[in-house]
């Protein structure tokens, strides 16, 4: 299994740079005001007593220029875990350098190493550059599924 030396697991001192990348992703996805992530929240999620999120970073000339944040999911039909990729982002000036593919390769390697049978993520319908990139890697859209989400007042009303 060949490892791309530009990609590595995130460390605690990477948290501020990863938060910056998440905010850049929110800007790219046309939702800058929706992002409320703090460094404290991310540090706890990644490195607290019970980590629930994991991350890989991409480096160029000693600077973090990309990241993949992910967590484990579980397929009841397959009976094994998989990886859900929450965020994948590479700074625009580094796109086309292979870092996006290298980040996805690192996650595929995690799947193979641990016997996980799925690597899944969502992409916005209008993001055709990303869609084309994913399809070129062999990923296939799951068009028969519709994502639902409860947040804010609706979540509070149902949970109260």
């Amino acid at each position: 299994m060949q490892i791309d030396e530009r990609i590595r697991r995130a460390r605690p001192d990477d948290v501020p740079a990863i938060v910056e990348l998440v905010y850049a992703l929110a800007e790219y996805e046309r939702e800058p005001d929706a992002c409320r992530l703090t460094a404290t929240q991310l540090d706890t999620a990644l490195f607290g007593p019970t980590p629930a999120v994991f991350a890989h970073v991409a480096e160029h000339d000693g600077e973090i220029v990309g990241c993949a944040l992910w967590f484990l999911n579980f397929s009841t039909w397959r009976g094994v875990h998989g990886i859900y990729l929450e965020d994948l982002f590479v700074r625009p000036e580094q796109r086309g350098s292979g870092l996006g593919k290298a980040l996805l390769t690192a996650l595929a390697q995690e799947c193979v190493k641990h016997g996980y049978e799925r690597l899944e993520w969502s992409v916005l319908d209008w993001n055709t550059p990303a869609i084309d990139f994913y399809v070129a890697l062999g990923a296939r859209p799951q068009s028969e599924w519709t994502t639902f989400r409860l947040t804010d007042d609706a979540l509070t009303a149902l949970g109260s």
Side-chain angles (χ1 to χ4, degrees):
M1 196 181 309
Q2 186 173 345
I3 307 291
D4 188 319
E5 59 277 347
R6 301 173 300 170
I7 308 300
R8 63 172 172 76
R9 281 286 194 114
R11 300 183 298 241
D13 60 326
D14 298 329
V15 168
I18 296 170
V19 170
E20 283 184 31
L21 291 171
V22 170
Y23 275 84
L25 174 61
E27 183 78 33
Y28 175 79
E29 291 186 349
R30 306 172 187 164
E31 291 283 343
D33 297 331
C35 190
R36 301 184 298 217
L37 178 67
T38 68
T40 300
Q41 289 172 320
L42 186 59
D43 186 71
T44 299
L46 287 169
F47 304 109
T50 54
V53 178
F54 308 93
H56 283 74
V57 296
E59 291 182 307
H60 177 74
D61 290 337
E63 179 186 355
I64 295 173
V65 297
C67 66
L69 285 111
W70 55 277
F71 55 88
L72 295 179
N73 58 17
F74 186 80
S75 170
T76 56
W77 288 16
R78 292 188 175 222
V80 296
H81 283 291
I83 287 178
Y84 186 84
L85 173 60
E86 179 65 24
D87 289 331
L88 175 68
F89 187 74
V90 174
R91 291 204 180 273
E93 62 273 13
Q94 292 298 319
R95 293 186 190 146
S97 68
L99 289 173
K101 182 178 181 182
L103 284 163
L104 284 171
T105 298
L107 298 189
Q109 289 170 341
E110 290 278 340
C111 288
V112 170
K113 176 180 174 183
H114 296 289
Y116 306 153
E117 294 190 12
R118 290 182 179 169
L119 173 54
E120 298 178 312
W121 62 92
S122 297
V123 61
L124 292 165
D125 292 339
W126 58 261
N127 194 351
T128 52
I131 292 168
D132 293 344
F133 169 67
Y134 299 142
V135 169
L137 294 177
R140 297 292 168 250
Q142 302 295 298
S143 58
E144 66 275 10
W145 293 90
T146 300
T147 301
F148 283 84
R149 179 178 295 155
L150 275 172
T151 62
D152 303 321
D153 292 342
L155 177 62
T156 302
L158 185 61
S160 297

